């Protein structure tokens, strides 16, 4: 039956080894094909398997790809009745001539070797050769972080012959832009891959000459949502939190000082965390502008309270000097603060907001125990409540400095204006 028919084995038809079929031992493969003649054309195509990582700190990227070379070496031609090619692994590569292509500006690269070297060599009867390798390479990428994290980066992987100039070897993209294929599943956590494209040009070295160089270019755009959550939103919330002190009583020194210091330290922590994951560049990044302007707003809110506290102290000092120069002969002040046994409190004053005074107390009797006669006013309970609310509102207005009133409008308005300019310029 034809099911059990054995396939035709060319190694049995040609009595000898495969190398003898290709006549490897009959030629000197240390020389390039057509040595002494015109440059041998070597076509290249690449299939990108994965873009593994992008490092801002090291300014490099790691890519895994299939690199394929196409050329013709008549020394490897062989007779064939069915015009079929022969496929070999990496063991034959060491015995024949192959292009010496290397990666320019690469830091690390290796050919995968599990379970064997990932190398394939396919030879056609007319001498055309396909040479394919699976390689992982880490190469440099000069990044510009002036618009970070609202930036786009363009990186390139460069291929070039190490020994052969353009007079001996001509590298070219085999099918133009179609020579570069990418896997549709390629994705990165921080970047959106916008496009891949190929270019080529000549590179000159003063000592050796001109070389053909091929470029694999790809453009990446950074995802902004991560940085919105981790950097921009916290910084904005800290600035808004610093504005809360404008509504706190100017006499509540511990509350306003602790709030200001907390927001300043938090902004410092955010700035330090962002710069720790970035290279130490000598120019200002977009995120630095936003964070440092936010830091200035937080710091100015602390200085604002320092100014309010200082002006309040100066004002009270002047009032104290006026009272010492013109002593008052009234026992109870206009704000209805009472003295009982030589002591008084604001709670006592508030609880007596609905009462009136019908007795004057001389100045010299303040240190003695006094009996104050209070007469109930003719106002109703509702009028007393309205008087109490008016008294509390009067105290809040009196304890709000004019600087706080202006700051409640100036700080938010200026920060909103800054955000409009920032996002219109960098987005």
């Amino acid at each position: 039956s034809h099911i059990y028919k054995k396939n035709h084995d060319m190694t049995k038809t040609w009595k000898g080894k495969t190398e003898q079929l290709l006549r490897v031992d009959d030629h000197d493969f240390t020389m390039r094909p057509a040595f002494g003649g015109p440059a041998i054309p070597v076509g290249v195509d690449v299939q990108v398997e994965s873009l593994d990582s992008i490092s801002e700190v090291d300014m490099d990227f790691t890519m895994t790809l299939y690199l394929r070379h196409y050329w013709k070496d008549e020394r490897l031609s062989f007779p064939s009745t069915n015009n079929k090619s022969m496929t070999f692994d990496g063991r034959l590569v060491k015995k024949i001539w192959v292009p010496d292509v290397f990666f320019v500006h690469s830091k690390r690269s290796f050919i995968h070797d599990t379970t064997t070297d990932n190398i394939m060599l396919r030879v056609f009867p007319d001498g055309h050769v396909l040479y394919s390798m699976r390689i992982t390479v880490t190469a440099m990428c000069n990044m510009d972080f002036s618009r970070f994290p609202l930036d786009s980066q363009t990186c390139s992987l460069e291929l070039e012959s190490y020994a052969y100039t353009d007079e001996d070897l001509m590298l070219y993209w085999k099918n133009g832009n179609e020579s570069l294929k990418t896997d549709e599943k390629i994705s990165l956590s921080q970047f959106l891959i916008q496009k891949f494209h190929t270019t080529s040009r000549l590179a000159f070295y003063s000592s050796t000459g001109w070389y053909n160089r091929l470029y694999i270019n790809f453009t990446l755009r950074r995802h902004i949502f991560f940085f919105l959550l981790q950097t921009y939103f916290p910084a904005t919330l800290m600035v808004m939190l610093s504005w809360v002190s404008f509504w706190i009583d100017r006499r509540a020194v511990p509350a306003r000082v602790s709030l200001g210091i907390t927001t300043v330290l938090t902004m410092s922590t955010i700035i330090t965390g962002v710069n720790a994951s970035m290279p130490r560049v000598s120019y200002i990044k977009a995120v630095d502008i936003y964070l440092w302007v936010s830091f200035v707003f937080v710091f100015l809110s602390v200085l604002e309270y320092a100014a309010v506290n200082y002006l309040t102290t100066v004002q009270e000092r002047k009032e104290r000097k006026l009272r010492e120069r013109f002593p008052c002969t009234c026992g109870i002040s206009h704000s209805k603060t009472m003295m009982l046994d030589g002591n008084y409190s604001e709670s006592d004053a508030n609880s007596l907001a609905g009462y009136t005074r019908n007795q004057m107390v001389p100045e010299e009797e303040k240190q003695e125990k006094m009996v104050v006669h209070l007469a109930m006013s003719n106002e109703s309970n509702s009028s007393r409540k309205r008087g109490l609310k008016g008294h509390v509102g009067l105290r809040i207005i009196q304890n709000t400095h004019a600087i706080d009133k202006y700051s409640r409008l100036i700080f938010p308005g200026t920060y909103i204006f800054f955000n409009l300019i920032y996002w219109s310029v960098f987005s």
Side-chain angles (χ1 to χ4, degrees), residues 376-400:
M376 294 294 294
S377 65
N378 295 326
E379 297 177 350
S380 61
N381 293 334
S382 60
S383 63
R384 288 202 303 269
K385 291 180 179 179
R386 287 195 300 269
L388 180 60
K389 292 180 180 179
H391 177 72
V392 174
L394 181 62
R395 287 179 57 81
I396 294 176
I397 295 175
Q398 289 177 348
N399 288 333
T400 300

Side-chain angles (χ1 to χ4, degrees), residues 49-230:
E49 181 182 8
S50 64
L51 193 58
D52 301 324
S53 63
I54 306 290
S55 175
E56 291 89 355
V57 177
D58 298 327
M59 286 195 181
D60 59 23
F61 66 92
T62 301
M63 178 186 293
T64 300
L65 52 88
Y66 296 94
L67 177 62
R68 304 184 183 99
H69 306 81
Y70 303 85
W71 74 93
K72 184 176 181 180
D73 191 344
E74 294 181 354
R75 296 172 296 184
L76 297 177
S77 60
F78 60 92
S80 175
T81 57
N82 52 14
N83 199 29
K84 288 186 177 181
S85 62
M86 291 189 297
T87 303
F88 306 94
D89 57 16
R91 287 172 289 185
L92 183 61
V93 174
K94 300 177 181 179
K95 299 181 179 181
I96 64 172
W97 181 91
V98 294
D100 59 339
V101 174
F102 78 106
F103 297 101
V104 185
H105 305 309
S106 66
K107 296 181 178 180
R108 296 174 299 276
S109 61
F110 62 91
I111 299 175
H112 290 259
D113 55 0
T114 305
T115 58
T116 59
D117 291 339
N118 295 174
I119 297 176
M120 185 268 289
L121 190 70
R122 184 171 293 169
V123 182
F124 294 85
D126 58 353
H128 280 89
V129 181
L130 165 60
Y131 176 41
S132 177
M133 298 175 289
R134 181 168 176 256
I135 303 174
T136 294
V137 56
T138 300
M140 290 175 52
C141 179
N142 294 323
M143 302 182 185
D144 182 13
F145 297 106
S146 58
R147 299 177 65 89
F148 175 88
L150 306 169
D151 58 334
S152 297
Q153 302 294 342
T154 300
C155 301
S156 62
L157 185 62
E158 306 171 14
L159 296 85
E160 182 182 305
S161 172
Y162 191 83
Y164 297 100
T165 63
D166 60 338
E167 296 178 354
D168 291 321
L169 189 147
M170 184 182 67
L171 277 179
Y172 68 97
W173 290 112
K174 188 173 185 297
N175 298 313
N177 286 330
E178 299 297 326
S179 301
L180 180 60
K181 304 293 183 180
T182 58
D183 193 340
E184 296 180 354
K185 297 180 180 179
I186 294 179
S187 62
L188 293 170
S189 59
Q190 291 191 24
F191 292 93
L192 172 65
I193 303 176
Q194 291 185 320
K195 65 177 180 179
F196 278 89
H197 65 281
T198 60
T199 56
S200 61
R201 66 187 66 174
L202 289 174
F204 177 73
Y205 298 90
S206 58
S207 300
T208 54
W210 293 89
Y211 294 81
N212 294 111
R213 182 177 295 183
L214 306 181
Y215 296 82
I216 303 173
N217 304 307
F218 55 94
T219 304
L220 306 172
R221 184 171 182 83
R222 197 182 305 273
H223 294 299
I224 187 59
F225 189 71
F226 170 81
F227 296 94
L228 287 177
L229 292 179
Q230 299 294 325

Side-chain angles (χ1 to χ4, degrees), residues 11 14-23 25:
T11 60
W14 292 84
K15 297 180 180 180
K17 299 180 181 179
T18 306
E19 288 83 352
Q20 294 177 352
L21 173 64
L22 295 178
R23 296 177 297 175
D25 297 331

Side-chain angles (χ1 to χ4, degrees), residues 318-333:
K318 292 180 179 179
E319 293 177 356
R320 190 180 304 111
K321 291 181 179 180
L322 288 176
R323 286 197 301 269
E324 292 175 356
R325 184 176 301 178
F326 305 101
C328 180
T329 58
C330 301
I332 302 178
S333 64

Side-chain angles (χ1 to χ4, degrees), residues 255-416:
R256 297 190 65 163
V257 170
S258 60
L259 180 61
I261 293 176
T262 302
T263 52
V264 168
L265 293 178
T266 304
M267 283 301 305
S268 300
T269 303
I270 295 175
I271 294 174
T272 303
V274 171
N275 292 329
S277 59
M278 296 296 299
R280 298 179 180 179
V281 295
S282 58
Y283 49 85
I284 298 176
K285 304 182 291 292
V287 68
D288 293 335
I289 296 176
Y290 193 90
L291 292 179
W292 279 104
V293 170
S294 300
F295 182 85
V296 169
F297 271 89
V298 173
F299 186 72
L300 288 178
S301 67
V302 179
L303 294 183
E304 185 269 348
Y305 177 63
V308 169
N309 186 268
Y310 174 76
L311 294 178
T312 301
T313 303
V314 172
Q315 182 180 359
E316 291 178 350
R317 189 179 304 164
K318 292 180 179 179
E319 293 177 356
R320 190 180 304 111
K321 291 181 179 180
L322 288 176
R323 286 197 301 269
E324 292 175 356
R325 184 176 301 178
F326 305 101
C328 180
T329 58
C330 301
I332 302 178
S333 64
H334 183 68
S335 62
K336 300 181 182 179
T337 301
M338 299 188 62
M339 298 182 61
L340 300 177
D341 295 335
N343 298 321
Y344 69 96
S345 64
E346 292 182 358
S347 60
D348 296 331
N350 293 334
S351 63
L352 297 174
Y355 295 91
T356 59
R357 182 184 71 252
N358 62 352
Q359 183 176 355
M360 305 297 294
V361 181
E363 182 70 21
E364 59 270 16
E365 297 181 4
K366 285 183 179 180
Q367 303 300 328
E368 300 177 359
K369 183 175 181 180
M370 298 183 300
V371 178
V372 180
H373 177 71
L374 299 175
M376 294 294 294
S377 65
N378 295 326
E379 297 177 350
S380 61
N381 293 334
S382 60
S383 63
R384 288 202 303 269
K385 291 180 179 179
R386 287 195 300 269
L388 180 60
K389 292 180 180 179
H391 177 72
V392 174
L394 181 62
R395 287 179 57 81
I396 294 176
I397 295 175
Q398 289 177 348
N399 288 333
T400 300
H401 200 276
I403 297 179
D404 284 338
K405 296 178 183 178
Y406 291 120
S407 298
R408 294 172 187 175
L409 299 176
I410 294 175
F411 274 73
T414 307
Y415 194 69
I416 292 173

